[in-house]
Amino acid sequence: MDTAQLTADDLEMIGRNPLFSGFSQPEIVQLLRNRCTITCHEKNARLDTDDQLGLLLYGRACIQQAGEHGVVLDYIAPPRVFGLASIYLEHTQLSKIYALTRLRMLCLSREHVDILMECSKKILKTMLLLED
């Protein structure tokens, strides 16, 4: 895993996600400043997102059921958010996420997700809708 800087392409993809739709790119930059990490992963890498919300910016991944013979539960493509429920469940790993291609994702810790929800009622409302 490598870390990277937020790019114009990243901002465009972030703006396509329902959490950030309706925000301008400068507003997105302000919301995410010092609150996110951009990571890059190679094909077949396991994405360690136990305590982070992920937003896929580039590439594809799959969510597999935890266990020895994990069944694929879902496929993830940009600009999908994943891991929202798991950041609020302690010590529970119900699934694993693997890169199907090289990929790039934005990561937000639970603390930073909480701050974003405090900063923006719109993000809070969208988060509540995504949990359904």
Side-chain angles (χ1 to χ4, degrees), residues 56-99:
L56 197 58
L57 301 169
Y58 170 86
R60 289 180 36 95
C62 69
I63 301 173
Q64 291 185 347
Q65 181 179 29
E68 186 178 339
H69 302 289
V71 175
V72 173
L73 301 172
D74 201 0
Y75 292 95
I76 306 169
R80 172 100 178 264
V81 166
F82 54 94
L84 180 59
S86 66
I87 65 173
Y88 293 102
L89 299 173
E90 294 192 26
H91 309 294
T92 304
Q93 181 146 8
L94 304 174
S95 61
K96 299 175 183 178
I97 302 173
Y98 292 94

